[in-house]
Amino acid sequence: MGLRERKKEKTRLAILDAALDLFLEQGYESTTVEQIAGAVDVSPRTFFRYFTSKDHLVLWFHDHGEEIMLETLSSRPADEPAFTSLMHAMRAVLEDVEGSTPDDRERFLKLRRLLDEHPRLVGLSVARGAQTDRRLVEVVAARRGVDPDEDQLSHLIVAFASCTMRVGFECPRRDATVPEISRRMAETIELAERSLQPGWDR
Amino acid sequence: MGLRERKKEKTRLAILDAALDLFLEQGYESTTVEQIAGAVDVSPRTFFRYFTSKDHLVLWFHDHGEEIMLETLSSRPADEPAFTSLMHAMRAVLEDVEGSTPDDRERFLKLRRLLDEHPRLVGLSVARGAQTDRRLVEVVAARRGVDPDEDQLSHLIVAFASCTMRVGFECPRRDATVPEISRRMAETIELAERSLQPGWDR
DNA sequence: TGACTTATGGCACACTGTGACAGAAAGGTT
DNA sequence: AACCTTTCTGTCACAGTGTGCCATAAGTCA
């Protein structure tokens, strides 16, 4: 990894951190790209080379999470019920956060607080989730050997899984820690599994 | 209803229709507000007085749908399981479409085709849905006599209901008719109910 | 060092969305 | 009818996001 790549990654994180702090301090809408860029001594034009949009700052986590979910999903035994596999994939995302650097964990928590305070951003997040869902449906349908356009159950399995994840992610405590969120998520998963008919996902 | 009100409603629908047609014809992103306003001989500034944003055009249906759902929900017996009530609320929305004017049905179908062709707009739609969900959670939690911040089940019930609705709404046929969508939705509801433990929603 | 590749900054630009104000249209009153 | 009031509309100016384009600076490799 050359100097160039390291420098790019550093700039990327500097922008992200500056943005998260500004957002939490003075709100999302009232923070301009110019301010964010200014805070890390970069031109606004360059900002848009690192993040395709202001919104993308909030979604940076999703890109990573989606990747982990797809990887985990493909590593699960093919005969495991799809919903169970998806729950494992979801847990893998949280385990990844737990195992990451303190800086990354802090970014994760700041983002969570940000989402908590700005409903509009939750909308952004679920919209991005819908995109992930479409990809997950492809995988789930393939595993079940059905056509994703025809099989409603594949859609329902992914949809139920993804909203279980969302419900678990909403933690009532504003300053929740990572383990607290994990525990909350585990509770939600358990609740969802108790609510569903055994074998409903084949 | 005076001339003023009638004229406003006419302009509103004219803008909506022009926009839907332009979107379907040349895509959402590549249609500008100026074009839409121009097509109905109105200034761009006036456009924004009828629709707070370009996105709002796509969400006009949700405002109405949310209203119907909240109304229906409050008219259901208080001891009915929450998920069942929500499924009734959802059906009420479709029944409203079925019972509306041919023009309104056509708008509904055009919107559906638009969503089908533009994944980004689906994101918008689910983001708006998240907003509705928050309101529904309030009602459901109140009915169940629990604190919405503490009770995960209320959140899960609403989340499952709303994604059942979304799955049912996605119809594989691009040029589906209203009855076809209704039938599809009924199938999805049945599938969801079969997948859930009896009494899971208390 | 020099040649090559890639990142950056600055500029012009298109588009969305908002506040402010002046004039036009609609509604009501005598 | 004339008049006043309320509400809608267009125009203008402006802030902010996001994109192409090009010259320049910085990193890479010989």
Side-chain angles (χ1 to χ4, degrees):
Chain A
M1 193 160 164
L3 167 60
R4 200 172 251 162
E5 303 246 347
R6 269 181 288 130
K7 205 172 170 182
K8 260 177 81 173
E9 199 52 29
K10 225 178 89 183
T11 307
R12 187 179 178 74
L13 291 176
I15 293 175
L16 186 56
D17 288 336
L20 284 176
D21 288 337
L22 283 168
F23 290 161
L24 286 169
E25 196 180 313
Q26 52 181 3
Y28 179 78
E29 314 284 357
S30 38
T31 302
T32 68
V33 169
E34 202 179 348
Q35 283 179 304
I36 300 167
V40 287
D41 261 312
V42 150
S43 77
R45 188 67 188 84
T46 296
F47 169 90
F48 286 109
R49 289 200 179 95
Y50 281 91
F51 295 91
T52 54
S53 69
K54 196 176 147 187
D55 290 349
H56 194 210
L57 282 165
V58 178
L59 301 176
W60 112 94
F61 175 73
H62 292 69
D63 295 343
H64 189 212
E66 179 177 307
E67 204 181 321
I68 293 181
M69 287 199 76
L70 286 167
E71 273 171 22
T72 309
L73 198 53
S74 70
S75 78
R76 301 295 310 173
D79 59 339
E80 183 178 59
F83 189 79
T84 308
S85 300
L86 286 165
M87 291 299 108
H88 280 284
M90 180 182 317
R91 271 188 287 256
V93 176
L94 268 177
E95 279 160 19
D96 179 81
V97 174
E98 282 166 0
S100 67
T101 68
D103 281 352
D104 268 343
R105 274 201 298 280
E106 200 185 321
R107 286 180 192 111
F108 171 80
L109 292 175
K110 277 183 183 171
L111 176 62
R112 215 196 130 275
R113 243 176 62 215
L114 193 61
L115 287 176
D116 197 57
E117 291 169 15
H118 298 266
R120 212 219 110 197
L121 300 184
V122 175
L124 253 161
S125 175
V126 306
R128 178 66 177 79
Q131 196 179 320
T132 301
D133 286 2
R134 276 200 304 282
R135 297 196 184 126
L136 293 173
V137 167
E138 295 290 325
V139 180
V140 167
R143 261 175 58 142
R144 303 182 62 242
V146 295
D147 177 0
D149 287 341
E150 291 302 324
D151 184 63
Q152 286 178 303
L153 187 52
S154 297
H155 287 261
L156 205 61
I157 291 168
V158 170
F160 278 8
S162 105
C163 69
T164 299
M165 190 165 180
R166 204 165 63 248
V167 169
F169 189 70
E170 290 164 16
C171 211
R173 286 176 45 70
R174 202 172 314 280
D175 52 351
T177 63
V178 175
E180 276 170 354
I181 296 171
S182 272
R183 209 162 56 78
R184 174 87 173 183
M185 185 72 81
E187 278 173 33
T188 313
I189 292 177
E190 206 187 315
L191 183 59
E193 279 169 345
R194 262 208 315 278
S195 301
L196 289 155
Q197 210 62 258
W200 72 285
D201 52 347
R202 260 6 106 87
Chain B
M1 193 160 164
L3 168 59
R4 202 172 249 162
E5 303 247 344
R6 269 181 289 128
K7 207 171 171 183
K8 260 178 80 174
E9 199 53 27
K10 224 177 91 184
T11 307
R12 187 180 178 75
L13 290 176
I15 293 176
L16 185 57
D17 287 336
L20 284 175
D21 287 338
L22 284 168
F23 289 162
L24 285 170
E25 198 181 312
Q26 53 182 4
Y28 179 77
E29 315 284 356
S30 39
T31 302
T32 66
V33 170
E34 201 179 349
Q35 283 180 304
I36 300 166
V40 288
D41 262 311
V42 150
S43 77
R45 189 65 186 84
T46 296
F47 169 91
F48 286 109
R49 290 199 180 96
Y50 281 91
F51 296 91
T52 54
S53 70
K54 197 176 148 187
D55 290 350
H56 194 209
L57 281 165
V58 179
L59 302 176
W60 112 93
F61 175 73
H62 292 69
D63 295 343
H64 189 211
E66 179 176 308
E67 202 181 324
I68 293 180
M69 287 198 76
L70 286 168
E71 272 171 21
T72 308
L73 198 54
S74 70
S75 78
R76 301 297 308 175
D79 59 340
E80 183 177 58
F83 189 79
T84 308
S85 300
L86 286 165
M87 291 301 108
H88 279 286
M90 178 182 319
R91 271 189 286 258
V93 175
L94 267 177
E95 279 159 20
D96 179 82
V97 175
E98 283 166 358
S100 67
T101 68
D103 282 351
D104 268 343
R105 274 201 299 279
E106 202 184 319
R107 286 180 192 111
F108 172 79
L109 292 174
K110 278 184 183 170
L111 175 63
R112 216 196 129 276
R113 244 176 60 215
L114 192 62
L115 288 176
D116 197 57
E117 290 169 16
H118 299 265
R120 213 217 109 199
L121 300 184
V122 175
L124 251 155
S125 175
V126 306
R128 179 65 178 79
Q131 196 179 319
T132 301
D133 286 2
R134 277 200 304 282
R135 299 200 182 123
L136 292 173
V137 167
E138 295 290 325
V139 179
V140 167
R143 262 176 57 144
R144 302 183 61 244
V146 295
D147 177 0
D149 287 340
E150 291 302 324
D151 184 63
Q152 286 178 304
L153 188 53
S154 297
H155 287 261
L156 205 61
I157 290 169
V158 170
F160 276 9
S162 104
C163 69
T164 300
M165 190 164 180
R166 205 165 62 248
V167 170
F169 190 71
E170 290 164 14
C171 209
R173 289 176 41 71
R174 203 173 312 282
D175 52 350
T177 63
V178 175
E180 276 170 353
I181 296 171
S182 273
R183 209 162 55 79
R184 175 87 173 184
M185 185 72 82
E187 277 173 34
T188 312
I189 293 178
E190 207 187 314
L191 183 60
E193 280 170 344
R194 262 209 314 278
S195 302
L196 290 155
Q197 290 282 3
W200 71 286
D201 52 346
R202 264 359 109 87

